[in-house]
Amino acid sequence: MKDLKFISRFRQHLRLLKGLSPNTLDAYMHDVGKLMTWCEECNRDVMSLSLDDLQEFSASLHDLGIAASTHARILCGVRAFYHFLELDGYIEQDPSELLESPIQDKHLPEVLSTQEVDMMQQAIDLSKWEGHRNRAIIEVLFSCGLRVSELVTLTLSHVYEEEGFIRVLGKGSKERLVPISAHAIRELHLWYEYRSQMKIKSGEEDYVFLNRRGAHLTRTMILIMVKQAARDAGIVKTISPHTLRHSFATALLEGGASLRAIQAMLGHESIGTTEIYTHIDMSTLREEIELHHPRNIRDKELRLTDHTVHGNAVV
């Protein structure tokens, strides 16, 4: 197919109507690109594909050894694409409506305890200019549960210290208010002392976290720093900046916060995402049940009573 104007219209649809972030937008277009390439290789018209065709395309992804999570994401992009084609009148019926995604194993990511986060911060060399910056980054990630993309775009004008909140620009350019702890604010102030002495590039003045050249940090820089801090602290877990976000959510859940509250702070559209994202260690859960469930409390009292009676009995 030579006339591909609908591709640019699809991109415009995603950007204007869906409000997707640039990274998500690029991912959707990349996924549709895979379908277009498959159509060319199989000499098929993307406008005329049936459900059977799409299932064959899905099978080809499996044959390539693509991970189930990536496979599911590609099919999500394909569904969005065909929904657009139907909506704009390019096709009469969406063939992807019954297209199923592969079953994904729900592997729980690593989680850090508060003590391990403290170890990472303590391992940072404060004699270097970026030391207090890196401590503040780890604290803000852990205290606020930010995505790394949200951290690198955090601005001074969106830190409301007196109110104890920060304004975060999340996925799809959606803003939300997230509480920030007094401890995180103290770490920021220590960083600000060094930041105030930097020569900052024009246009970068409002970003909270800067590199040595006075420009805002990239996600890759954060990833490298977090991994290095973990290694220096002797933590052998495989972690990333997202580990601190997961640790934030897990700590809240274990502390008694509701899933709805955690959902709001993480910026999840669906509570289902929060349920999958957060977890409680099973041993901790078992301990909580044994300690607090009324049946177990009664049984414990009966055992104590029985032990007292028999302990005082004359044999």
Side-chain angles (χ1 to χ4, degrees):
M1 179 172 294
K2 296 181 179 179
D3 184 7
L4 298 180
K5 289 182 180 178
F6 60 89
I7 292 293
S8 59
R9 286 182 60 84
F10 175 55
R11 186 182 186 91
Q12 186 179 31
H13 165 81
L14 293 176
R15 184 170 60 86
L16 298 180
L17 298 183
K18 294 293 185 179
L20 300 182
S21 68
N23 290 331
T24 305
L25 180 60
D26 289 342
Y28 269 69
M29 299 308 297
H30 183 262
D31 297 339
V32 172
K34 285 186 176 296
L35 176 65
M36 300 292 291
T37 300
W38 180 82
C39 285
E40 290 177 6
E41 292 173 350
C42 300
N43 195 26
R44 302 188 193 185
D45 182 357
V46 71
M47 294 291 193
S48 305
L49 295 187
S50 65
L51 176 59
D52 288 342
D53 292 324
L54 291 178
Q55 287 172 338
E56 187 179 339
F57 166 68
S58 179
S60 74
L61 297 176
H62 179 269
D63 293 341
L64 289 173
I66 292 175
S69 57
T70 305
H71 189 163
R73 193 209 69 211
I74 292 171
L75 296 187
C76 181
V78 169
R79 290 191 199 92
F81 176 60
Y82 277 103
H83 177 69
F84 156 75
L85 291 179
E86 182 184 34
L87 195 65
D88 260 34
Y90 286 102
I91 58 176
E92 292 185 2
Q93 187 172 355
D94 179 358
S96 70
E97 285 183 339
L98 299 179
L99 182 62
E100 295 183 354
S101 292
I103 297 175
Q104 301 181 59
D105 294 331
K106 296 178 181 178
H107 296 296
L108 292 174
E110 294 278 14
V111 61
L112 296 169
S113 66
T114 303
Q115 291 74 20
E116 287 174 318
V117 175
D118 290 342
M119 288 166 58
M120 287 175 61
Q121 291 179 308
Q122 290 163 6
I124 292 173
D125 185 357
L126 296 182
S127 67
K128 297 181 179 179
W129 75 270
E130 69 269 25
H132 284 292
R133 181 201 66 184
N134 293 348
R135 278 179 62 104
I137 286 173
I138 291 174
E139 188 58 39
V140 171
L141 286 172
F142 180 60
S143 293
C144 302
L146 302 188
R147 301 178 178 94
V148 67
S149 58
E150 296 168 347
L151 181 94
V152 298
T153 56
L154 182 64
T155 58
L156 296 172
S157 55
H158 283 171
V159 178
Y160 309 119
E161 293 185 9
E162 291 187 7
E163 295 81 359
F165 283 90
I166 58 175
R167 185 179 294 276
V168 177
L169 186 64
K171 285 188 174 181
S173 300
K174 294 180 180 177
E175 290 190 339
R176 70 183 188 279
L177 288 174
V178 178
I180 183 169
S181 68
H183 183 70
I185 290 174
R186 284 196 297 273
E187 292 290 348
L188 283 176
H189 280 180
L190 292 172
W191 156 236
Y192 290 162
E193 291 181 18
Y194 289 85
R195 187 185 182 281
S196 64
Q197 301 170 31
M198 296 179 65
K199 183 179 180 180
I200 302 174
K201 282 188 175 181
S202 177
E204 305 282 302
E205 296 88 354
D206 200 26
Y207 287 105
V208 172
F209 297 110
L210 304 170
N211 61 27
R212 63 177 64 250
R213 294 179 298 278
H216 68 279
L217 297 173
T218 65
R219 292 183 296 175
T220 302
M221 292 175 184
I222 304 293
L223 173 63
I224 293 171
M225 183 276 292
V226 168
K227 284 184 173 294
Q228 185 62 53
R231 283 195 296 268
D232 292 345
I235 296 171
V236 296
K237 297 176 180 178
T238 302
I239 70 167
S240 69
H242 206 73
T243 307
L244 291 162
R245 175 172 161 87
H246 181 71
S247 303
F248 161 84
T250 304
L252 285 179
L253 191 65
E254 291 179 345
S258 70
L259 279 178
R260 291 293 180 189
I262 298 172
Q263 177 191 6
M265 285 184 278
L266 292 175
H268 286 161
E269 288 190 7
S270 168
I271 190 70
T273 306
T274 312
E275 289 171 346
I276 295 170
Y277 186 81
T278 57
H279 74 282
I280 299 179
D281 182 76
M282 290 307 294
S283 61
T284 304
L285 181 58
R286 181 176 179 80
E287 182 181 343
E288 289 297 308
I289 292 174
E290 289 177 348
L291 284 174
H292 301 296
H293 194 281
R295 296 291 193 209
N296 295 325
I297 293 173
R298 190 185 68 174
D299 289 346
K300 185 177 181 181
E301 290 173 347
L302 288 174
R303 285 197 299 272
L304 288 172
T305 303
D306 184 62
H307 175 76
T308 302
V309 170
H310 284 84
N312 294 332
V314 177
V315 180

